[in-house]
Amino acid sequence: MPGPMIGRRTALAASLALPFIRPAFAQQAEPYVMGSLFPMSGPNAEFGEAFTRGAQVAIAHINADNMLRRPVRLQSEDSQALPQPSVIGMNKLINIDRASWVLSSWTATAKAIAPIGDRAKTIMVNGGGVGPDLSGLSPYFWNVIALAHLEVRAIVPFLVNQRNVKRVALIYVDDPLGDAILGQLREQLPLHGATLVGSYSVPRAAQQFGSVVARVRQSRPDAIYIASFGAQQAQIVKGLRDNGVTQIICSFSGFGLDGIRTLPEAEGALFTTQKLDFASSDPITKRFADDFQARFGQAPVTYHANYYNAAYLFGLLARQVEQAGGEVNGETMRAAMLATRKFNLVGGEGEFDELGNMLTQLQVNEIRGQRVIAVG
Amino acid sequence: MLFLQLLLNGLQTGAIYALTAAGFALIFGATKIFHVAHGIAFTIAGYVFLFAWRADWPSWLGVLASIAAAMLFGIVMERLVYRPIQRHEGSFFTVFVAAFGVSIVVQNIIGMIAGRGFATVDTPLSFSAEILPEIFVAPMLWIALATAAVLFVALTLFLTRHPAGVALRALAQNPDLIRTYGLSSNGLSVLAFAIGSALAAPAAIVTAMTTGLNEAIGHHVMLISIAATIVGGIGSLRGAALAGMMLGIAESLALTVVDTQWAEAVSFLVLFGFIIFRPAGIFGVTQTR
Amino acid sequence: MTAFLINLATLAAISGILASTLNFIVGYAGIFSVAHAVFFGLGAYGGAQVALLLVPNPFLACLVAAVIAGGLSLCLALPALRVRGEYFVAASLGLQMVAATLFAELKPLTGGIGGLVGIPRPELFGMVVPVLPLALVALALILWATARLQRGAFGRTLQSIRDADTAAEALGKNVNAAKTLAVAFACAGAGIAGALYALHLSFINVESFTLDQSIQIMAMVIIGGAGTLWGPLVGAVMLLSLPAVISFIPFIPPTEVGAVQQIIYGSAMTLLMIFRPAGLLGDMSKGKSTS
C-alpha cells in the first residue's frame, strides 16, 4: 500500500506545485493537506456537503492568491457522524496524509478525535457543532461558531420584546446541545418575564411528530423552540404546522440549511446565527459570497461561511508561520493564533479567546419567502 | 381530549405500519425470507412519488409509478439476491446480511440522486383543521385509513378467492404440498414479493406527504414491520396488520403516560413482552422452541 | 503509517473479539442475536466508569465489564430459553432498541448522547500501555476458550441444541443451563471488548452501541463463516479494513466521498453473500454452515 501511494502522490504534487515553488523548496513540493471529517453519508450528509463546499471555496482562494509556498489540498474523510469511523479517519489524516489542520463537525466526531489530535498536536476546527461541551476539548480544538448558550441569550430578548412572546415550549433531542438550550431557556426566559411552559425530548431517530405536537399544543405556547438536527428539524417544523400549531417557530443556527429555508412550513421561522451580512462591502465577505454563488449556483448561508473561515484561517496562520521562517505544524500555528488573536474573516474581524473559541456577535434571522433575512 | 387526539394520530401512524407490516408478513409467510430490505421498497416508492410530483405528473400516475417501482424492487431482490443465495441453502442470516448490503447501496444512491436531507410532497391534504375543540385532523388521516382498509379487504379476497392467492397461503402452510400439486413455488414467491412490496407504496406515499422523506426513512418502518409480524403471529396477515395498527396507536397513546423520548421504546417493549409471554403472537400458531 | 495501522489493528482485534463471541452463540448454539452491541456497550460503560472513577487498570476494567455484561446476559438468555429462530431474532431486536434508549437516557451512568469523555488511557504499574497488546491477548484467550469449549462435551451439547433442542433434551442434556452459560460467556466476552474499546477511544457514547453496530458484528460473523473458529476474525478484519482501504481510492469528488464508499461497501457485502453464502471460510460443500 505505501509504495505506489507515495509515488503517485509525490508525482501529482510535483506537477501541481511546480508553478509555485522556488528550487530551494523543491523537497517540500508536496501540498499542505487539510483534512475534513464530516458526515458524508447517512442522515446527516446534507451538513457534510454544505461544510465541504465552504472549505472548498476557501482553499481555492488560498491557492489562487499564492498565499502559501505550497498549494493546499482538501482530503475528505467520511465520519458518518459516528465515533469509530471518525477515529479511523482522523488517524489516516494525521499519519498518512500528514494533515496538520483538520476540519471537524458533530459532537461525536469532535469528542472522539480530540484526544488523537491533542497527542499529535493537530489543529481541529469546528464550525458546525454548537454544544457547549465542544469548548476546551483540547488546546488544539477550536470553534469558529458561537456555542448554543450564547444563541439562546440572543433570541430570548428578541422573542419577548419584538414578538410579544410570553410562553415558550421546547422540542429537543436530549444531547448536550439540547440540554444546554433547555438550561438556558429555563434561566433566561424568567429574566425577561416569560416562562418555559413545556419541554419535550424526542429520540434522535424519531420520524413521526404528530403525537408530540399534540402534547405541545396542550401547553399553549406562543413560541416553540426546536433544538434538533438535520432532516429531523424539518420534520418537526412540518409536524407542527400540519397539526394545527400556528405559533412562532424558533431555533438555533442548525436552521441555516437549504432543507429548512425551502420548506414552505418554515415560513416565518426565527433562528440565530452569528452576525453575517453577505451583502456587505467588506472585501473578504463579498469575494466569498460572489465566488460561492458562481461556483455552486446558490447563495451562501452561515455554515458555508463558517467552514470557509475554518479553512481560510489555516491560510492566514500558515502564512504567518512561513514568513517567520518556521515549519508549518499544529504547534507553530497555535502559537501564531495566540499571538495574533484577531483575523479578517468572512463577516468581518473574528477574535479568538485563549481556548480557541471565536467570539462573535449574534443576529436573529427570519425565513421570509424562502430567503433568510436578518431581523434583529 | 388529549387522549382522543393521540388516538387519532396513532391511527394514522398505525395505518402506515399496518400496510408495511402486512407486506412484510406476506413475503415472510410465503417464502420464509426475512426481507429486511423491505424498508427500502418503502423508501424507493416514496421517492418515486416525490419525483413524479416534482415533474408535475398527475397524482394517479405518480401512485402507479410508485407502486410499480416498489414491485420491481421486490422482484429484482427475489431474482438477483435471494434466489441465488437460497440455491446454496444459505442460512437465515446470509440472506439478512445480503439484504442489509443492498439497503446501504440503495440508500446512498438515493442520496446522490435526490439530494441529501429532507424532502416532502407539499399538499393541503396533510394540513389539519380543528374538527372539534382541541382536536386537529388532516384529510390525510381518512385517506390513510380508507386506503389501508380497502387494500386489506382486497388482499383478503385475493388470498381466499383467487387460485394464486390460495396457492400463496398454501405455500406458507406447507411448501411440499405445492410441489405435489405441480404448482411452481418459484413463480409464487415472485408473486409474494411483488404484492408484498406493492403494499409498502401507499404507506410510503402517505409518509411523503405527511412526515416527509429522507434516505433513511425506511429503517424505522421496517423494524416496526418485523415487530408487527412477530406480535401478530408469523404467518398471519390479519395479525400483522392488526399488530402494526396497534403498535402505531401504542406509540402515540404512550405519550399520555410517559415522557416523549420513551415513545419509540414502547413498541419494542411490547414486542419483547409478547415474545416472553405470548410467543405465538395474537393469531399465530404456537411455535415455541 | 504505523500509527494508522496500529489503530486499525486495535479496532480489528476488538471487533474480532465481538465477532468471535457472537459466533459462539450463533455458530455453535444457533442463538441468533442482533443485540450483541448492547453487551459491548454495557462493558464499555462499565470499563469506562472504572477507569474514570477508580483506576485506569485495564484488567480491573475488563473484569468489571465482563461481570456486568455477563450478568445482564440473562436478559438475552431468557428469550433464548423460550423461543428460537425468527422469534428470537425479533426478541433480541426489541432488547437492542430498548437498551439503546436506556443508554441515551441514563445520563448519570452513560453520559447520554453526549457520552463519557476523557476516559484515561490504560496504566499498568504506573506506565501507560497501548490497548493493542491487551486486545490481542484477550482475542487469543477467547479464541482458545472457544476452541476448547467447542471440542469438549459442552460444545457437543451446544451443537445438539443447535440442530434439535428436543433431541438434546431427550439425550438428557441440560439444555437450559447450556444455553444460559453459552450466552453468558459470549456476552462477557463482548463486555471485555467494550472495556478495551472505551480505553482505546477515550470517548464513548450510545452511537457506538446501536442496532447498526449489532448488525455489523453479525455481518462479520456471517461473511467470515459462522460456526468456524477463524471465520469471524477474518470477517471482522475485512469489514473493518474495507472502508479504510476504500478511503484510499483517489479522485472521488469530496462531496460524494461518503456515498461512493458506502456503495462499494454495501455491494461487497451483498456480492460476497451471493457468491459465498457460507462465508469466506465456511464449508461450501456442506451447503448449510449454520441454522
Side-chain angles (χ1 to χ4, degrees):
Chain A
M1 197 154 49
M5 276 306 302
I6 287 169
R8 185 190 53 75
R9 219 175 35 207
T10 349
L12 177 73
S15 64
L16 275 177
L18 266 179
F20 302 101
I21 46 168
R22 287 165 284 162
F25 291 97
Q27 78 276 17
Q28 293 186 349
E30 271 198 40
Y32 291 119
V33 176
M34 182 186 302
S36 73
L37 270 169
F38 303 144
M40 303 305 292
S41 61
N44 298 310
E46 188 184 5
F47 284 94
E49 199 172 333
F51 298 166
T52 307
R53 288 181 168 185
Q56 280 175 315
V57 176
I59 290 178
H61 284 174
I62 295 174
N63 287 339
D65 295 353
N66 287 342
M67 260 172 88
L68 304 174
R69 292 180 185 146
R70 300 196 237 159
V72 181
R73 176 173 73 86
L74 182 69
Q75 176 66 39
S76 186
E77 300 290 334
D78 180 12
S79 73
Q80 297 175 39
L82 295 175
Q84 188 172 311
S86 301
V87 164
I88 294 178
M90 186 67 175
N91 269 293
K92 174 168 179 284
L93 287 173
I94 292 180
N95 298 304
I96 298 197
D97 299 306
R98 304 264 162 228
S100 53
W101 191 274
V102 173
L103 306 175
S104 148
S105 69
W106 239 262
T107 313
T109 300
K111 286 181 174 172
I113 67 169
I116 306 170
D118 191 57
R119 271 171 239 154
K121 298 194 168 41
T122 298
I123 307 279
M124 299 158 278
V125 190
N126 161 51
V130 288
D133 50 337
L134 291 179
S135 169
L137 277 179
S138 146
Y140 296 92
F141 191 96
W142 306 346
N143 294 294
V144 293
I145 186 168
L147 301 177
H149 48 292
L150 299 175
E151 300 210 35
V152 174
R153 285 182 201 183
I155 204 164
V156 165
F158 180 86
L159 286 174
V160 174
N161 300 331
Q162 310 279 322
R163 299 292 161 102
N164 218 5
V165 168
K166 292 272 172 275
R167 302 164 65 84
V168 177
L170 171 69
I171 303 179
Y172 69 113
V173 173
D174 195 8
D175 58 4
L177 165 71
D179 225 29
I181 288 178
L182 174 64
Q184 285 291 318
L185 284 176
R186 268 195 193 132
E187 182 191 307
Q188 294 292 314
L189 286 169
L191 292 181
H192 293 85
T195 41
L196 183 67
V197 291
S199 57
Y200 306 90
S201 149
V202 292
R204 235 183 206 175
Q207 316 252 14
Q208 311 270 0
F209 297 102
S211 309
V212 176
V213 170
R215 288 269 307 257
V216 171
R217 213 171 41 222
Q218 287 264 313
S219 66
R220 310 194 179 285
D222 303 324
I224 300 94
Y225 197 106
I226 300 174
S228 167
F229 254 114
Q232 197 182 46
Q233 56 192 5
Q235 285 174 325
I236 297 175
V237 171
K238 192 167 188 305
L240 282 168
R241 290 295 183 243
D242 271 359
N243 289 285
V245 174
T246 51
Q247 284 78 8
I248 297 170
I249 289 175
C250 52
S251 187
F252 69 108
S253 50
F255 261 36
L257 266 191
D258 275 1
I260 294 279
R261 185 176 55 79
T262 55
L263 186 73
E265 285 82 0
E267 176 72 17
L270 299 167
F271 67 101
T272 41
T273 57
Q274 56 210 73
K275 215 170 199 110
L276 252 180
D277 177 13
F278 289 115
S280 88
S281 58
D282 168 53
I284 297 178
T285 310
K286 189 167 168 16
R287 183 189 186 199
F288 162 71
D290 292 348
D291 286 6
F292 191 94
Q293 177 79 45
R295 182 162 176 175
F296 298 111
Q298 66 174 116
V301 296
T302 321
Y303 279 130
H304 300 130
N306 287 347
Y307 278 99
Y308 179 93
N309 286 344
Y312 196 70
L313 186 61
F314 168 77
L316 294 174
L317 290 174
R319 182 172 64 185
Q320 218 171 315
V321 172
E322 276 186 351
Q323 281 169 356
E327 191 200 335
V328 175
N329 60 35
E331 239 169 324
T332 53
M333 285 189 286
R334 177 163 181 266
M337 186 278 282
L338 289 175
T340 316
R341 292 292 181 95
K342 290 184 181 173
F343 303 90
N344 285 322
L345 297 168
V346 169
E349 192 181 66
E351 184 180 354
F352 285 81
D353 67 9
E354 64 280 5
L355 287 175
N357 298 325
M358 195 161 92
L359 313 168
T360 50
Q361 295 208 298
L362 292 161
Q363 66 184 23
V364 180
N365 307 286
E366 182 167 2
I367 299 175
R368 281 189 203 150
Q370 306 210 343
R371 287 165 54 86
V372 175
I373 292 162
V375 289
Chain B
M1 274 302 131
L2 181 65
F3 184 84
L4 181 59
Q5 176 71 59
L6 290 177
L7 182 68
L8 289 169
N9 285 335
L11 281 174
Q12 182 169 331
T13 315
I16 294 172
Y17 290 169
L19 283 170
T20 330
F24 184 86
L26 178 72
I27 293 171
F28 185 69
T31 66
K32 291 285 169 283
I33 291 174
F34 211 63
H35 180 38
V36 288
H38 189 54
I40 294 294
F42 182 92
T43 314
I44 290 178
Y47 271 94
V48 166
F49 186 76
L50 176 78
F51 279 124
W53 175 75
R54 281 187 183 164
D56 280 329
W57 289 14
S59 49
W60 62 269
L61 196 60
V63 172
L64 282 185
S66 161
I67 293 173
M71 284 174 115
L72 184 71
F73 172 77
I75 295 171
V76 166
M77 280 301 286
E78 203 277 344
R79 288 267 136 181
L80 298 185
V81 179
Y82 296 139
R83 179 87 47 96
I85 294 176
Q86 295 224 315
R87 232 188 343 257
H88 297 285
E89 300 204 31
S91 76
F92 171 81
F93 265 105
T94 308
V95 170
F96 190 101
V97 173
F100 187 65
V102 171
S103 309
I104 295 178
V105 173
V106 177
Q107 271 186 31
N108 281 283
I109 292 178
I110 289 177
M112 283 172 94
I113 301 173
R116 302 179 177 96
F118 179 78
T120 164
V121 172
D122 197 32
T123 155
L125 292 179
S126 69
F127 199 76
S128 304
E130 196 165 5
I131 52 163
L132 286 171
E134 302 264 324
I135 302 293
F136 287 75
V137 171
M140 202 42 123
L141 169 65
W142 312 121
I143 297 178
L145 285 178
T147 314
V150 166
L151 283 177
F152 196 67
V153 169
L155 190 66
T156 314
L157 285 178
F158 172 76
L159 288 177
T160 47
R161 303 284 164 81
H162 195 277
V166 176
L168 265 185
R169 281 198 309 156
L171 188 64
Q173 306 292 329
N174 190 347
D176 297 326
L177 204 66
I178 291 290
R179 259 168 243 141
T180 336
Y181 280 94
L183 288 162
S184 141
S185 68
N186 275 352
L188 282 176
S189 81
V190 169
L191 184 69
F193 268 89
I195 299 177
S197 303
L199 282 175
I205 293 169
V206 170
T207 304
M209 293 179 176
T210 52
T211 44
L213 302 172
N214 62 58
E215 308 101 275
I217 192 85
H219 194 68
H220 181 70
V221 176
M222 192 263 306
L223 293 180
I224 293 284
S225 300
I226 294 177
T229 304
I230 302 289
V231 171
I234 289 182
S236 163
L237 267 187
R238 193 167 45 131
L242 199 69
M245 182 57 89
M246 217 182 72
L247 289 177
I249 295 173
E251 202 179 290
S252 186
L253 282 188
L255 292 188
T256 52
V257 255
V258 296
D259 270 341
T260 40
Q261 68 266 39
W262 298 97
E264 200 187 16
V266 166
S267 303
F268 294 98
L269 262 179
V270 170
L271 168 69
F272 197 75
F274 251 94
I275 290 169
I276 302 279
F277 300 109
R278 194 179 157 75
I282 310 176
F283 291 108
V285 192
T286 311
Q287 232 182 47
T288 33
R289 295 226 295 212
Chain C
M1 192 74 202
T2 10
F4 172 71
L5 289 178
I6 287 175
N7 170 55
L8 216 52
T10 312
L11 290 172
I14 291 170
S15 302
I17 299 174
L18 287 172
S20 300
T21 49
L22 180 62
N23 178 45
F24 189 77
I25 46 176
V26 169
Y28 301 131
I31 300 172
F32 292 110
S33 161
V34 285
H36 216 48
V38 173
F39 301 95
F40 181 45
L42 286 172
Y45 288 123
Q49 293 291 11
V50 166
L52 281 167
L53 300 176
L54 300 171
V55 281
N57 181 315
F59 296 122
L60 187 63
C62 285
L63 183 70
V64 170
V67 169
I68 293 176
L72 287 173
S73 73
L74 276 178
C75 300
L76 193 67
L78 192 63
L81 299 181
R82 304 258 308 153
V83 293
R84 54 183 298 157
E86 295 83 14
Y87 288 90
F88 179 76
V89 174
S92 63
L93 175 77
L95 181 67
Q96 170 70 59
M97 299 303 287
V98 174
T101 309
L102 284 175
F103 287 164
E105 296 300 329
L106 294 178
K107 282 193 197 167
L109 296 176
T110 66
I113 298 177
L116 300 173
V117 278
I119 301 162
R121 291 209 272 170
E123 276 178 33
L124 277 178
F125 314 112
M127 285 206 314
V128 171
V129 285
V131 175
L132 181 59
L134 300 170
L136 287 176
V137 169
L139 176 62
L141 282 176
I142 281 171
L143 283 174
W144 176 78
T146 308
R148 280 293 300 268
L149 288 173
Q150 177 203 355
R151 267 189 240 111
F154 185 56
R156 280 195 300 277
T157 310
L158 286 183
Q159 274 156 39
S160 62
I161 291 173
R162 182 186 80 195
D163 299 331
D165 265 6
T166 15
E169 218 153 343
L171 285 172
K173 316 248 189 213
N174 191 337
V175 173
N176 285 358
K179 273 188 174 176
T180 311
L181 269 179
V183 171
F185 170 74
C187 293
I192 292 175
L196 293 169
Y197 181 77
L199 292 173
H200 177 59
L201 248 64
S202 302
F203 160 71
I204 48 167
N205 76 348
V206 58
E207 288 166 314
S208 296
F209 315 118
T210 56
L211 177 64
D212 284 348
Q213 177 77 288
S214 279
I215 291 179
Q216 192 168 9
I217 305 170
M218 178 58 79
M220 289 170 179
V221 175
I222 304 299
I223 284 177
T228 64
L229 184 61
W230 297 102
L233 191 59
V234 172
V237 171
M238 223 192 95
L239 279 199
L240 202 83
S241 52
L242 191 63
V245 172
I246 298 172
S247 72
F248 279 95
I249 298 175
F251 310 124
I252 304 173
T255 42
E256 302 300 337
V257 162
V260 172
Q261 288 173 3
Q262 290 290 310
I263 288 169
I264 298 175
Y265 180 73
S267 322
M269 243 185 204
T270 307
L271 291 175
L272 266 172
M273 288 296 93
I274 293 177
F275 294 106
R276 304 262 336 163
L280 287 168
L281 299 191
D283 189 353
M284 284 289 275
S285 58
K286 258 186 5 196
K288 271 178 137 173
S289 76
T290 61
S291 84

